[in-house]
Every structure is written in C-alpha cells, then in structure tokens.
Amino acid sequence: MQADTKTINIHQGILLKNDELARRIRQRFNEIGTLVLNVLSSPGSGKTALLEQTLSRLHPTCSCAVIVGDLATDNDARRLRRAGAPVVQITTGTVCHLEASMIEQACSELDLKSCRVLFIENVGNLVCPASYDLGESLRVVLLAVTEGEDKPLKYPKIFKTADLILVTKMDLAGLAGFDLEQVRSNLATIAPQAEVIYLSSRNGEGMDAWLNWIQQRAGTCRV
Amino acid sequence: MQADTKTINIHQGILLKNDELARRIRQRFNEIGTLVLNVLSSPGSGKTALLEQTLSRLHPTCSCAVIVGDLATDNDARRLRRAGAPVVQITTGTVCHLEASMIEQACSELDLKSCRVLFIENVGNLVCPASYDLGESLRVVLLAVTEGEDKPLKYPKIFKTADLILVTKMDLAGLAGFDLEQVRSNLATIAPQAEVIYLSSRNGEGMDAWLNWIQQRAGTCRV
C-alpha cells in the first residue's frame, strides 16, 4: 500500500448509520404500539399474494398499512390497495434493498397512530436486504416450494435472521417435487431460532396459523 | 456541504475497474475461441438443473466448463461435476454477485484452451449481477413460470441486458396459472433485443432449441 493511501471500510459505516436510524424508528413504533413485519424473499415467492390475502382478512378488524419496495413499477402497491389498507410505494431504481431512511420517509405519508400492523414488503432479493435493519419488530422470510429445499443452505444469512419462515405455494409442493423432510432438516440446521408455517395463498392452507401468529404479537388485534 | 468535504462516487469507480478487467478477459476468450455464457436469474429459477441437462448432452461432443457462484455451499458444483465437465466453485460469502476479478481467478484453475463453452452460473439474484460485466460473450437470463409474468417489469435492468431469455419450468405453467401472452408482451416491451426460448429441464421441452442456440454461437461444436 502506498504511503498516501488510506483504507476506509465504507460498507461498515453505511450499516452503522442505518442501524442507528433503525433503532430510533423501532423505538417510535414501540411507543405507539405498532407491530412492524419486514417481509423478505426472492422475487416471485408470493409476498404480494400473501399480503393481499392477509389484508383482506386482517384489515377489517385490525388496522393495517403497507410499505412496498420495488426497483420499478407500482404494480404491487396497486394490487394491495384493493384490500382498503393504506399503501406507500418506494421505488428504489437500482438499489437492491430497502434502508431505514426510506422507511422513515415512507412513514411520514402514513397515519401510524391508527395502525396496528405495518407490513414492509422488501425488494425481492435473498441477499442484500438481510443486512439492513429497517426498525422492524420481526422478520418474516418466505421460501416458495418451487425454489427448492436447498435455498436456506445457499442463502444462510437471511434465514438466520428470520423470526418466522413461511414456506409458500404449498399447493405446488407435490408437482414441484419438493422434499418436505429435507427442508425441515435444512431449516432446523440453518434457522433453529425461527418458527415455520407451511401455507398456500391460493388454497388457504396454513393461513389461519399465519393470522394467529400475527394476532398473538399485535396485542389488541382480533383476527 | 462543508468546504472540507468531497463527494466521491465509489460505485462508479468500482464498476469502471470491473469493466476494464472484463474487457481484457473478453479479449482473451475471443482469442482462444471460447463462448462464455453468463447465466443469471433469481434463486431457484432452475439454473443448475438446466446446466446439468445441458452438460450431459453437450459436453460429450463439445468440451465445456463451468464457474459457479454461490454465497455458501458447493452443492451446485458437486451436482454439475457429475456430467464430467470441470467445475470451479466461487463462494462469495455476503457478496451478492460475481465480479470480473473472481472470474479471472477461477479461470486460472481451468484449461480454457480445450474449452469451447464456458458457463458462468452467477449468484441467484435479479438485481446486483446485472451491473457487473464478467467478460462474457453473451448473457442468458432465466425466468421461471412460478415467479410470475410481471418480473421483467419489476426487475428491468437484468432483462434489458439479456441476449437470450429462457422461460423455465414450463411443465408447471398451467398449474402456476402463468399467462404466456402477458409474459410475451412484457418481454417485448422490456427486452425487445433478446431472443426467448420456453423450456423445461424436467420434460425436455425447448431443450433442442437451447442447444441449437449454443451450437450456432460456439463455432466448431456439434451438439
């Protein structure tokens, strides 16, 4: 290394700044009693379909809101608004994850005092979003049966930071040749801290368990 | 901005350095006549299954090699070695994409002079790998029918830089409720430059078209 060069760990600095803001956001959510779920997965694992079904059952009795992150388009926001809950879209351009500063800005557009559950639908990506604390209460990671049972081993960080893992598209498990015993074993190895619910937004399997899981954590909400 | 601060566009600098190295790598591949395909997709779109089938049909008559990128595990490399082609695994840790410098290092472990087709199986991610030129001849982007027909609109950059788009898992198209007309329209809007082949590694649909596509570009290879 030349004498006039200096190495700066930029990534570490960005994350520290993000984490500080995330802590402040989390404190604010705690004070107003809003449960915030950071929903993470690969593209096409069924985040939006799950949230559509969830809002249609939950929002009538338990006030919800959604922040949606995408590189481009507001398709998901438009789909989710049909359930009647307020939805804020964040379009990230080329950024592969949401950051706490984006959540802070999106929250300024929401009336959070009347909101019991805030869902954050993160950018579809199993890598980058794992490193960014958004101030959420809990992390929910989706794994679709069509992606294969090996994904927890190949993308360990996001599964290791999950509080709940939803194995989605269970209606396609047989046809996709999905090995349930293998995924159970892989999840027990990589993410023993996480609860696991097997569900299908299409045929409703597991939806009661998922809604009960939210209700138990959202305090005053009835599902 | 304070007088003693200076803004540096770090990302731009990293990409410029990567692109310079990628140009040198591409020149070397051109000189030795190796077709290099950068294979990109979301996690679980079927990259490894496709390459398993491809190598078993192509490698016996047309010498192939594979470089595989993953955050963790060498599962894919072990699967691919069964077809007899040399495979080098790159484990990226937390890095969400392959870079040209990783390819340069991996190539030092391969005898490229006897290799007609080099497949690079990139990290499963629809965002980050789009920005990194690896010195490839052509880019192949996979989209599984189980991910939904809206993904080209939501992740435009990776589809805009594709030379070929493979719509995979076609055996599940009916059950997944995949709208073929819609995906054709979305691909024509976002990626009019790309050829499109619809295939299934499981039932063999479209595999001849994919192998012919390679053969036409690999010069002296018979499939």
Side-chain angles (χ1 to χ4, degrees), chain B residues 83-125:
Chain B
V87 180
V88 177
Q89 172 83 48
I90 300 171
T91 308
T92 64
T94 56
V95 177
C96 54
H97 56 268
L98 293 178
E99 299 182 9
S101 60
M102 300 175 188
I103 300 304
E104 186 180 45
Q105 200 178 336
C107 283
S108 69
E109 297 177 38
L110 290 167
D111 177 17
L112 287 173
K113 284 193 181 149
S114 66
C115 170
R116 297 276 58 78
V117 186
L118 172 64
F119 297 95
I120 303 173
E121 183 182 336
N122 217 310
V123 176
N125 190 320

Side-chain angles (χ1 to χ4, degrees), chain A residues 76 146 154 169 175 202, chain B residues 76 146 154 169 175 202:
Chain A
D76 289 355
T146 46
K154 293 178 67 182
K169 306 197 184 186
L175 291 152
R202 192 186 276 172
Chain B
D76 290 355
T146 45
K154 292 180 67 181
K169 306 197 185 187
L175 290 152
R202 191 186 275 174

Side-chain angles (χ1 to χ4, degrees), chain A residues 52-74:
Chain A
E52 280 179 312
Q53 294 297 320
T54 305
L55 292 174
S56 71
R57 288 186 58 181
L58 195 61
H59 186 59
T61 56
C62 174
S63 176
C64 299
V66 187
I67 296 172
V68 187
D70 274 309
L71 299 198
T73 85
D74 64 347

Side-chain angles (χ1 to χ4, degrees), chain B residues 132-152:
Chain B
Y132 287 84
D133 184 358
L134 304 181
E136 70 267 18
S137 320
L138 296 163
R139 281 190 174 197
V140 181
V141 176
L142 275 63
L143 167 67
V145 299
T146 45
E147 293 167 34
E149 51 288 293
D150 59 335
K151 296 304 167 290

